[in-house]
Amino acid sequence: MEDEGTMDNRVVLVTGGANGIGRGIANYLSKNTIVIAADIDENAGFQLVSENPLIRFKHLDVTNEQQIESLIEEIKYQHGRLDAVINNAAIANPYNAPLQELDLYDWNKALAVNLTAPMLMAKHTLSLLKETNGCIVNIASTRYLQSEPNTEAYSATKGGIVSLTHALSTSLGPEVRVNCISPGWIHTSDEELREVDHQQHLIGRVGNVDDIASMVGYLLSKEAGFITGQNFVIDGGMTKKMIYSE
C-alpha cells in the first residue's frame, strides 16, 4: 500500500458497503481514502452517500460477473487504480429454516453471494491490485468455528471464505496480500443491548463496526505489509469461551 503521505489517493472498493459491517468499514475508510461502496440495496446506498458525501455508491449484484467486470472497468477509467477490495457482501439462510426445509435455491444463493462473489472479485480486480501492490480483505464469521442451529448454508460458506483466503494468498503473493477477518457478535443496529448481553463477553461489551473497520484499516496499511494468508478472529474472546465451556 501507499505511504501515509499519499493515502488520500488510494481507492478502496467495499462490497456490501451500504449495510451492516460494510457500511461501518466504508465510513471508517472514507476519512483518508477514496471509498466505493457497492451494494445491491440502492435505497441504503443513497442514504449512505447522503450521510457521507465522501463515499461513492455503485449498485452491484455480486453474483453477476458482467456487473463486476463493468464496475471494475469503470473504476479503472475514473480513478486509474485500485488499492484494496473488502469483500463484505453476504447473506444467511433468510428464513432460518431447519435442514429438512432448506430450499436448494437458498443454499445456492448463499453460496453465490458469500463464496463465489469474493472469488470473482479477486479474479477481476487482480490486474489493478497488482499495479499498486494492493490487498484483499475478506469478511468471514466465527460461525465457521461455532455454528448455530439452522445456519448450514451460512456456516459452510463462511468456512469456505477462510479457505479461499489461504488459497488466494498463495496464488497472488507477493504482489497482492489476502487476509480475512472473522467477526463474532457485532452490534450493527440502533437498538440498545441489554446489560446481560455485555456481561457474557470476556471484555465486558459486544463488538461494534469500528472494531472490525479499524482492523481492516490496519490490514490495508504499510505496517501490515508482512501479513498475508491470515484469518483474524475478532469476537472479544467469545468463541473460545463457548468452545471451552462445552
Side-chain angles (χ1 to χ4, degrees), residues 2-145:
E2 299 287 333
D3 292 335
E4 293 295 329
T6 57
M7 285 182 69
D8 290 347
N9 297 321
R10 296 188 307 168
V11 178
V12 179
L13 173 61
V14 183
T15 70
N19 286 285
I21 292 175
R23 186 186 190 92
I25 292 172
N27 277 314
Y28 184 91
L29 296 179
S30 69
K31 300 169 187 175
N32 55 19
T33 59
I34 297 169
V35 174
I36 300 164
D39 203 297
I40 199 169
D41 188 342
E42 290 188 280
N43 290 332
F46 295 144
Q47 181 181 357
L48 173 64
V49 296
S50 69
E51 296 172 357
N52 186 348
L54 295 174
I55 297 174
R56 284 90 162 153
F57 171 72
K58 298 294 182 181
H59 177 263
L60 177 69
D61 177 354
V62 293
T63 67
N64 187 313
E65 189 168 11
Q66 282 188 315
Q67 287 190 25
I68 292 174
E69 286 183 280
S70 178
L71 174 59
I72 302 310
E73 284 299 314
E74 185 178 344
I75 291 172
K76 183 177 181 180
Y77 175 77
Q78 290 184 346
H79 303 283
R81 66 184 293 159
L82 181 63
D83 297 87
V85 177
I86 317 302
N87 289 306
N88 173 72
I91 57 172
N93 172 7
Y95 309 109
N96 288 325
L99 182 61
Q100 302 94 317
E101 301 172 16
L102 180 60
D103 192 282
L104 189 58
Y105 172 84
D106 291 329
W107 172 272
N108 288 335
K109 187 68 173 178
L111 184 67
V113 175
N114 298 0
L115 189 54
T116 303
M119 179 278 292
L120 291 175
M121 293 301 300
K123 172 184 174 182
H124 291 289
T125 61
L126 179 57
S127 60
L128 282 177
L129 291 175
K130 279 187 173 182
E131 292 177 6
T132 59
N133 285 119
C135 62
I136 297 171
V137 179
N138 296 318
I139 307 299
S141 168
T142 55
R143 286 289 163 260
Y144 86 95
L145 283 170

